[in-house]
Amino acid sequence: MNVLVIGAGGREHTLCWKLKQSPRCGRLFAAPGNAGTAKCATNLPVGVNDFEGIKKAVIANEIKLVIVGPEEPLVNGIHDFFINDTALAKVGVIGPQKKAATLEGSKAFAKAFMSRHNIPTAAYDEFTAENLKEGEAFLTQSNPPYVLKADGLAAGKGVLIIHDLEEAKKELREMLLEQKFGKASSKVVIEEFLPGIELSCFVLTDGSSYLTLPMAKDYKRIGEGDTGLNTGGMGAVSPVPFVTEVFKEKIERQIIKPTIEGLQKDGMPFKGFVFIGLIKVGEEPKVIEYNVRLGDPETEVVLPRIKNDLLTLFQAVHEEKLDEISLEVDPSFAATIVATSGGYPEAYEKEKIIYGLEGQQDKMIFHAGTTQQEEEIKTSGGRVLAVTSFGIKHQEALKDCYETLSKINFEGINYRKDIGFDL
Ligand code: AMP
Ligand code: GLY
């Protein structure tokens, strides 16, 4: 079976790497891919939101299954585009249709969903320019820190956590009146601050049955000790030591089951990954956010731990037979460390030659922002590489990641030396 992975990051390289291991995988394609996907798939020069271009590639290459990596094409309705096109209707798409993708595309929609289905999350209210005054009054009545979230997709930048009341009001005005995050902040969710430790939970579902993948934790801040600006993710580990069996059971019962049942009750077909961003408040799990795709760099530790044939899992999702499969997970500890470009997460450098990849073919080096230019592999993004290793204990896995990274270099390379420091 010919397969296409849409996207160009570390997540998509990991998906290609894992799919390529399936004896059932025919020709594998990535659109647009990167220098890493080019090693296990054929890159197609098509953008993730170019649905007509993707259609042409799917037909020309007789692709039968499409896995959508990033959220944007899902929120833009790529799955609906396939269903509504007679030439594409039979092609399997892993990723929800537009309606369910709104769980990621609109924070207010996600909050209303959780409230309707009694899923534990922070208390909240939503505001637009029309009721700005009420929003300001809501802030005055709330306790700091204040959590302000742009309703729409804002490339991971739309959440503000502010300690000062006047500053929070000013930000609220800028979001609603001056469109600080463009259209994404024409509505703002203000919610209760939840103190606790975060983790990522991925659930693969065909809409009724589901498999809960191993838990992961990502390290979002640029600086060591979890300091400095937020990034897309600087590293990740799986499993998460503080997730006990009791806590896992709570997540399953209070959050995962009502989420999947809620999707069914609300008539939202969902074939793909529900990414539940969780926070452990005391001993209780609460939902911080939903995403409708895999996380990056969590994918780089979660997929390597799954022993099942990934293509078989995806086919079962497409055919709505996921109940026939049980998940097999490697009990080893996996860690990944992300190497970034100089300047990231602010304006960063590109086009730097990457040295030291040769001779490390046996290592799990996933490309995130790279391009191949003739004989050279160069940086092309903020997050450049994610290096994954296994160990019986987390120290072993991390040591191996750092050993691999010590042989890699490009001008301006930066990575956190303390991933897993809190475990
Ligand atoms: P999000 O884009 O929704 O993942 O939010 C970005 C980050 O903001 C999260 O990973 C949390 O660290 C933090 N955050 C979001 N909502 C809350 C909340 N209600 N309480 C505490 N921290 C939050
Ligand atoms: N690592 C968090 C995300 O992919 O959104």
Side-chain angles (χ1 to χ4, degrees):
M1 176 195 283
N2 294 350
V3 180
L4 168 66
V5 173
I6 293 180
R11 168 182 50 209
E12 288 76 19
H13 184 188
T14 314
L15 280 163
C16 287
W17 168 86
K18 180 78 180 148
L19 285 165
K20 195 67 192 168
Q21 294 167 21
S22 168
R24 306 164 76 173
C25 187
R27 296 190 66 200
L28 181 62
F29 299 88
N34 60 35
T37 61
K39 298 211 185 295
C40 45
T42 304
N43 285 350
L44 302 170
V46 183
V48 301
N49 288 306
D50 176 5
F51 295 177
E52 287 298 336
I54 290 169
K55 174 181 172 177
K56 276 196 200 124
V58 165
I59 293 170
N61 296 297
E62 298 177 348
I63 288 161
K64 296 285 179 278
L65 187 71
V66 176
I67 296 100
V68 187
E71 62 277 14
E72 228 192 312
L74 293 167
V75 172
N76 290 341
I78 191 167
H79 195 153
D80 311 66
F81 174 85
F82 270 70
I83 289 175
N84 295 327
D85 189 303
T86 45
L88 300 177
K90 287 212 176 94
V91 176
V93 178
I94 303 301
Q97 292 167 51
K98 189 172 181 149
K99 190 171 171 201
T102 314
L103 282 178
E104 177 160 2
S106 162
K107 304 247 187 229
F109 181 90
K111 295 298 283 191
F113 176 87
M114 286 184 260
S115 151
R116 204 159 50 241
H117 300 294
N118 286 317
I119 295 166
T121 186
Y124 82 107
D125 208 339
E126 57 184 76
F127 302 94
T128 62
E130 272 78 67
N131 60 354
L132 170 64
K133 283 277 162 282
E134 286 166 42
E136 291 181 333
F138 185 80
L139 284 171
T140 306
Q141 289 158 17
S142 307
N143 296 316
Y146 309 95
V147 182
L148 272 58
K149 299 187 171 185
D151 179 54
L153 291 185
K157 296 198 166 63
V159 176
L160 303 176
I161 297 178
I162 301 167
H163 290 265
D164 179 73
L165 176 62
E166 288 314 312
E167 196 191 328
K169 287 183 181 172
K170 178 171 154 276
E171 289 289 352
L172 179 66
R173 284 193 295 272
E174 283 181 11
M175 285 167 96
L176 291 176
L177 301 180
E178 291 160 36
Q179 313 249 311
K180 178 168 179 156
F181 298 104
K183 251 180 60 190
S185 67
S186 54
K187 190 186 274 179
V188 172
V189 166
I190 303 179
E191 69 178 32
E192 169 198 12
F193 178 83
L194 298 174
I197 180 160
E198 286 174 65
L199 66 146
S200 304
C201 170
F202 303 141
V203 180
L204 180 63
T205 181
D206 59 11
S208 57
S209 303
Y210 66 86
L211 296 172
T212 304
L213 308 191
M215 303 286 162
K217 179 179 191 305
D218 88 342
Y219 292 78
K220 287 200 173 118
R221 303 295 194 93
I222 186 74
E224 280 155 22
D226 285 341
T227 54
L229 293 173
N230 246 326
T231 70
M234 296 297 288
V237 296
S238 176
V240 182
F242 65 80
V243 179
T244 59
E245 283 306 315
V246 172
F247 190 61
K248 213 182 279 178
E249 191 276 326
K250 279 187 188 171
I251 297 173
E252 193 93 26
R253 180 165 43 85
Q254 299 176 8
I255 294 170
I256 300 176
K257 271 188 104 226
T259 297
I260 302 299
E261 285 167 8
L263 289 167
Q264 285 181 299
K265 283 184 198 151
D266 292 352
M268 294 199 277
F270 199 119
K271 291 185 176 181
F273 293 99
V274 188
F275 168 169
I276 313 177
L278 292 170
I279 190 157
K280 182 173 183 254
V281 183
E283 290 307 314
E284 300 307 315
K286 297 199 180 205
V287 179
I288 288 274
E289 63 166 353
Y290 284 112
N291 297 310
V292 297
R293 48 161 177 96
L294 285 168
D296 196 350
E298 293 96 319
T299 302
E300 286 90 310
V301 287
V302 170
L303 289 189
R305 291 190 61 217
I306 293 174
K307 291 188 186 168
N308 303 64
D309 179 318
L310 190 60
L311 189 51
T312 303
L313 287 181
F314 287 157
Q315 265 183 298
V317 168
H318 175 52
E319 292 165 9
E320 298 177 27
K321 289 182 181 163
L322 202 55
D323 58 328
E324 293 174 9
I325 295 190
S326 50
L327 198 67
E328 289 170 61
V329 176
D330 186 329
S332 308
F333 192 96
T336 197
I337 313 232
V338 176
T340 63
S341 296
Y344 178 82
E346 298 186 272
Y348 54 80
E349 299 165 349
K350 285 189 203 174
E351 300 268 317
K352 304 295 181 193
I353 301 170
I354 305 172
Y355 301 98
L357 293 173
E358 322 70 42
Q360 303 216 72
Q361 281 80 355
D362 57 328
K363 301 289 180 187
M364 289 182 277
I365 303 176
F366 298 114
H367 291 223
T370 66
T371 68
Q372 180 98 35
Q373 288 179 11
E374 294 171 12
E375 292 303 295
E376 285 165 344
I377 295 181
K378 292 187 176 174
T379 67
S380 64
R383 293 190 290 171
V384 177
L385 300 166
V387 174
T388 298
S389 294
F390 278 122
I392 304 296
K393 294 204 168 120
H394 69 268
Q395 292 92 336
E396 281 168 19
L398 288 158
K399 186 163 166 272
D400 199 49
C401 292
Y402 287 117
E403 240 167 64
T404 304
L405 272 164
S406 71
K407 297 177 191 148
I408 296 174
N409 200 19
F410 53 86
E411 199 186 315
I413 186 172
N414 177 42
Y415 52 87
R416 272 179 63 170
K417 317 289 183 298
D418 72 334
I419 298 301
F421 76 99
D422 55 339
L423 299 180

